[in-house]
Coordinates of all heavy atoms in Angstrom, one line a residue:
P80 N -66.7 -79.2 47.7 CA -67.3 -79.1 49.0 C -67.6 -80.5 49.7 O -67.6 -80.5 50.9 CB -68.7 -78.5 48.6 CG -68.6 -78.1 47.2 CD -67.4 -78.7 46.6
Q81 N -67.7 -81.5 48.9 CA -67.9 -82.8 49.6 C -66.6 -83.5 50.0 O -66.6 -84.6 50.6 CB -68.7 -83.8 48.6 CG -70.1 -83.3 48.4 CD -70.8 -84.2 47.4 OE1 -70.3 -85.3 47.1 NE2 -71.9 -83.8 46.9
G82 N -65.5 -82.9 49.6 CA -64.2 -83.4 50.0 C -63.8 -84.5 49.0 O -64.5 -84.8 48.0
L83 N -62.7 -85.2 49.3 CA -62.2 -86.3 48.5 C -62.3 -87.5 49.3 O -61.9 -87.5 50.5 CB -60.7 -86.0 48.2 CG -60.0 -86.8 47.2 CD1 -60.5 -86.6 45.8 CD2 -58.5 -86.5 47.2
T84 N -62.9 -88.6 48.8 CA -62.9 -89.8 49.5 C -62.0 -90.9 48.9 O -62.0 -91.0 47.7 CB -64.4 -90.4 49.6 OG1 -64.9 -90.6 48.2 CG2 -65.3 -89.4 50.3
I85 N -61.3 -91.6 49.7 CA -60.4 -92.6 49.3 C -60.8 -93.9 50.0 O -60.9 -93.9 51.3 CB -59.0 -92.2 49.5 CG1 -58.7 -90.9 48.8 CG2 -58.0 -93.3 49.1 CD1 -57.3 -90.3 49.2
R86 N -61.0 -95.0 49.3 CA -61.3 -96.2 49.9 C -60.4 -97.3 49.4 O -60.2 -97.4 48.2 CB -62.8 -96.6 49.7 CG -63.8 -95.7 50.4 CD -65.2 -96.2 50.2 NE -66.1 -95.2 50.8 CZ -66.7 -94.3 50.1 NH1 -66.4 -94.1 48.8 NH2 -67.5 -93.4 50.7
N87 N -59.9 -98.2 50.2 CA -59.1 -99.3 49.8 C -59.8 -100.6 50.2 O -60.0 -100.9 51.3 CB -57.7 -99.2 50.6 CG -56.7 -100.1 50.1 OD1 -55.7 -100.3 50.8 ND2 -56.7 -100.7 48.9
Y88 N -60.4 -101.2 49.1 CA -61.2 -102.4 49.4 C -61.1 -103.3 48.2 O -60.9 -102.9 47.0 CB -62.6 -102.0 49.7 CG -63.4 -101.4 48.6 CD1 -64.1 -102.1 47.7 CD2 -63.4 -100.0 48.5 CE1 -64.9 -101.5 46.7 CE2 -64.1 -99.4 47.5 CZ -64.9 -100.1 46.6 OH -65.6 -99.5 45.6
D89 N -61.4 -104.6 48.5 CA -61.6 -105.6 47.5 C -63.1 -105.7 47.3 O -63.8 -105.9 48.2 CB -61.0 -106.9 48.0 CG -61.3 -108.1 47.1 OD1 -62.1 -108.0 46.1 OD2 -60.8 -109.2 47.3
P90 N -63.6 -105.5 46.1 CA -65.1 -105.5 45.9 C -65.8 -106.7 46.4 O -66.9 -106.7 46.9 CB -65.3 -105.3 44.4 CG -64.1 -104.6 43.9 CD -62.9 -105.1 44.8
S91 N -65.1 -107.9 46.3 CA -65.7 -109.1 46.8 C -65.5 -109.4 48.3 O -66.0 -110.3 48.8 CB -65.1 -110.3 46.0 OG -63.8 -110.5 46.3
Y92 N -64.7 -108.5 48.9 CA -64.3 -108.6 50.3 C -63.5 -109.9 50.6 O -63.5 -110.4 51.7 CB -65.6 -108.5 51.2 CG -65.3 -108.2 52.6 CD1 -64.5 -107.1 52.9 CD2 -65.7 -108.9 53.7 CE1 -64.2 -106.7 54.2 CE2 -65.4 -108.6 55.0 CZ -64.6 -107.5 55.3 OH -64.3 -107.2 56.6
Y93 N -62.8 -110.4 49.6 CA -61.9 -111.5 49.8 C -60.7 -111.1 50.6 O -60.3 -111.8 51.5 CB -61.5 -112.1 48.5 CG -60.5 -113.3 48.6 CD1 -61.0 -114.6 48.9 CD2 -59.2 -113.1 48.4 CE1 -60.2 -115.6 49.0 CE2 -58.3 -114.2 48.5 CZ -58.8 -115.4 48.8 OH -57.9 -116.5 48.9
N94 N -60.2 -109.9 50.3 CA -59.2 -109.3 51.1 C -59.8 -108.1 51.9 O -60.6 -107.4 51.4 CB -58.1 -108.7 50.1 CG -57.3 -109.8 49.4 OD1 -56.8 -110.7 50.0 ND2 -57.3 -109.7 48.1
E95 N -59.2 -107.9 53.1 CA -59.7 -106.8 53.9 C -58.5 -105.9 54.1 O -57.4 -106.4 54.3 CB -60.2 -107.3 55.2 CG -60.9 -106.3 56.1 CD -59.9 -105.6 57.1 OE1 -58.9 -106.2 57.4 OE2 -60.2 -104.5 57.5
F96 N -58.7 -104.6 54.0 CA -57.7 -103.6 54.2 C -58.0 -102.7 55.4 O -59.2 -102.4 55.6 CB -57.5 -102.7 53.0 CG -57.2 -103.5 51.7 CD1 -58.2 -103.9 50.9 CD2 -55.9 -103.8 51.4 CE1 -57.9 -104.6 49.7 CE2 -55.5 -104.5 50.3 CZ -56.6 -105.0 49.4
T97 N -57.0 -102.3 56.2 CA -57.2 -101.5 57.4 C -56.3 -100.3 57.3 O -55.1 -100.4 57.1 CB -57.0 -102.3 58.7 OG1 -57.8 -103.4 58.7 CG2 -57.2 -101.4 59.9
L98 N -56.9 -99.1 57.5 CA -56.1 -97.9 57.6 C -55.7 -97.8 59.0 O -56.5 -97.8 59.9 CB -57.0 -96.7 57.2 CG -57.5 -96.7 55.8 CD1 -58.5 -95.5 55.5 CD2 -56.3 -96.6 54.8
T99 N -54.4 -97.7 59.2 CA -53.9 -97.6 60.6 C -53.4 -96.2 61.0 O -53.0 -96.0 62.2 CB -52.8 -98.6 60.8 OG1 -51.7 -98.4 59.9 CG2 -53.3 -100.1 60.6
A100 N -53.3 -95.3 60.0 CA -52.8 -94.0 60.3 C -53.3 -93.0 59.2 O -53.6 -93.5 58.1 CB -51.3 -94.0 60.4
L101 N -53.3 -91.8 59.6 CA -53.7 -90.8 58.6 C -52.5 -90.6 57.7 O -51.3 -90.7 58.1 CB -54.0 -89.4 59.3 CG -55.3 -89.5 60.1 CD1 -55.5 -88.2 60.9 CD2 -56.5 -89.7 59.2
P102 N -52.7 -90.2 56.4 CA -51.6 -90.0 55.5 C -50.9 -88.7 55.8 O -51.4 -87.8 56.4 CB -52.4 -89.8 54.1 CG -53.7 -89.2 54.5 CD -54.0 -89.8 55.8
M103 N -49.6 -88.7 55.3 CA -48.9 -87.5 55.3 C -49.4 -86.6 54.1 O -49.6 -87.1 53.0 CB -47.4 -87.7 55.0 CG -46.7 -88.5 56.2 SD -45.0 -88.8 55.9 CE -44.5 -88.1 54.4
M104 N -49.8 -85.4 54.4 CA -50.4 -84.6 53.3 C -49.3 -83.6 52.8 O -49.2 -82.4 53.3 CB -51.6 -83.9 53.8 CG -52.6 -85.0 54.2 SD -54.3 -84.5 54.5 CE -54.6 -82.9 53.9
K105 N -48.5 -84.0 51.9 CA -47.4 -83.2 51.4 C -48.0 -82.1 50.4 O -48.9 -82.4 49.6 CB -46.4 -84.0 50.6 CG -45.7 -85.0 51.4 CD -44.7 -85.8 50.6 CE -44.0 -86.8 51.4 NZ -43.0 -87.6 50.5
N106 N -47.6 -80.9 50.6 CA -48.0 -79.8 49.8 C -49.5 -79.5 49.8 O -50.0 -79.0 48.8 CB -47.5 -80.0 48.3 CG -46.0 -80.2 48.2 OD1 -45.2 -79.5 48.9 ND2 -45.5 -81.2 47.5
A107 N -50.1 -79.9 50.8 CA -51.6 -79.7 50.9 C -51.8 -78.2 51.2 O -51.1 -77.6 51.9 CB -52.2 -80.5 52.0
P108 N -52.8 -77.6 50.6 CA -53.2 -76.2 50.9 C -53.5 -76.0 52.3 O -54.0 -77.0 53.0 CB -54.4 -75.9 50.0 CG -54.4 -77.0 49.0 CD -53.7 -78.2 49.6
P109 N -53.3 -74.8 52.9 CA -53.7 -74.6 54.2 C -55.2 -74.9 54.4 O -56.0 -74.6 53.5 CB -53.4 -73.1 54.4 CG -52.5 -72.7 53.4 CD -52.7 -73.7 52.2
G110 N -55.6 -75.4 55.6 CA -57.0 -75.6 55.9 C -57.5 -77.0 55.4 O -58.6 -77.4 55.6
C111 N -56.6 -77.8 54.9 CA -56.9 -79.2 54.5 C -56.7 -80.2 55.7 O -55.7 -80.0 56.4 CB -56.1 -79.7 53.3 SG -56.6 -78.8 51.8
A112 N -57.5 -81.1 55.8 CA -57.4 -82.1 56.9 C -57.9 -83.4 56.4 O -58.7 -83.5 55.4 CB -58.2 -81.7 58.1
A113 N -57.4 -84.5 57.0 CA -57.9 -85.9 56.7 C -58.4 -86.5 57.9 O -58.0 -86.3 59.1 CB -56.7 -86.7 56.2
R114 N -59.4 -87.4 57.7 CA -60.0 -88.2 58.8 C -60.4 -89.5 58.3 O -60.7 -89.7 57.1 CB -61.1 -87.5 59.5 CG -62.4 -87.4 58.7 CD -63.5 -86.7 59.5 NE -64.7 -86.6 58.7 CZ -65.1 -85.7 57.9 NH1 -64.3 -84.7 57.7 NH2 -66.2 -85.7 57.2
I115 N -60.3 -90.5 59.2 CA -60.7 -91.9 58.8 C -62.1 -92.1 59.4 O -62.4 -91.9 60.6 CB -59.8 -92.9 59.4 CG1 -58.4 -92.8 58.8 CG2 -60.3 -94.3 59.1 CD1 -57.3 -93.6 59.4
E116 N -63.1 -92.5 58.5 CA -64.4 -92.8 58.9 C -64.6 -94.3 58.9 O -64.3 -95.0 57.9 CB -65.4 -92.1 58.0 CG -65.3 -90.6 57.9 CD -66.1 -89.9 56.8 OE1 -66.7 -90.6 56.0 OE2 -66.1 -88.7 56.8
E117 N -65.1 -94.9 59.9 CA -65.3 -96.3 60.0 C -66.6 -96.7 59.3 O -67.6 -95.9 59.3 CB -65.4 -96.7 61.5 CG -64.1 -96.5 62.2 CD -62.9 -97.3 61.7 OE1 -63.1 -98.4 61.1 OE2 -61.8 -96.7 61.7
P118 N -66.7 -97.9 58.7 CA -67.9 -98.3 58.1 C -69.0 -98.7 59.1 O -68.7 -99.0 60.3 CB -67.4 -99.5 57.3 CG -66.3 -100.1 58.1 CD -65.6 -98.9 58.7
D119 N -70.2 -98.7 58.7 CA -71.3 -99.1 59.5 C -71.4 -100.7 59.3 O -72.0 -101.1 58.3 CB -72.6 -98.5 59.1 CG -73.8 -98.9 59.9 OD1 -73.8 -100.0 60.5 OD2 -74.8 -98.1 59.9
L120 N -70.7 -101.4 60.2 CA -70.6 -102.9 60.0 C -72.0 -103.6 60.1 O -72.2 -104.6 59.4 CB -69.6 -103.4 61.0 CG -68.2 -103.0 60.8 CD1 -67.3 -103.6 61.9 CD2 -67.7 -103.3 59.4
S121 N -72.9 -103.1 60.9 CA -74.2 -103.6 61.0 C -74.9 -103.5 59.7 O -75.5 -104.5 59.2 CB -75.0 -103.0 62.1 OG -76.3 -103.5 62.2
A122 N -74.9 -102.3 59.1 CA -75.5 -102.1 57.8 C -74.9 -103.0 56.7 O -75.5 -103.6 55.8 CB -75.5 -100.7 57.4
A123 N -73.5 -103.1 56.7 CA -72.8 -103.9 55.8 C -73.2 -105.4 55.9 O -73.5 -106.1 54.9 CB -71.3 -103.8 55.9
D124 N -73.3 -105.9 57.1 CA -73.7 -107.3 57.4 C -75.2 -107.5 56.8 O -75.4 -108.5 56.3 CB -73.7 -107.6 58.9 CG -72.3 -107.7 59.4 OD1 -71.3 -107.8 58.6 OD2 -72.1 -107.7 60.6
Q125 N -76.0 -106.5 57.1 CA -77.4 -106.7 56.6 C -77.5 -106.7 55.1 O -78.2 -107.5 54.5 CB -78.3 -105.5 57.1 CG -78.6 -105.6 58.6 CD -79.3 -106.9 59.0 OE1 -80.2 -107.3 58.3 NE2 -78.8 -107.5 60.1
A126 N -76.7 -105.9 54.4 CA -76.6 -105.8 52.9 C -76.1 -107.2 52.4 O -76.6 -107.7 51.4 CB -75.8 -104.7 52.5
L127 N -75.0 -107.7 53.1 CA -74.5 -109.0 52.6 C -75.5 -110.1 52.8 O -75.7 -110.9 51.9 CB -73.2 -109.3 53.4 CG -72.6 -110.7 53.2 CD1 -72.3 -110.9 51.7 CD2 -71.4 -110.9 54.1

Side-chain angles (χ1 to χ4, degrees):
Q81 295 178 10
L83 190 69
T84 60
I85 303 169
R86 293 182 185 94
N87 191 195
Y88 66 90
D89 175 353
S91 69
Y92 200 52
Y93 179 79
N94 292 305
E95 188 268 338
F96 301 94
T97 302
L98 300 172
T99 59
L101 291 173
M103 292 179 3
M104 297 192 16
K105 295 181 182 178
N106 303 317
C111 290
R114 70 179 182 271
I115 296 172
E116 300 170 356
E117 297 300 326
D119 181 339
L120 297 178
S121 179
D124 288 346
Q125 290 300 318
L127 175 58

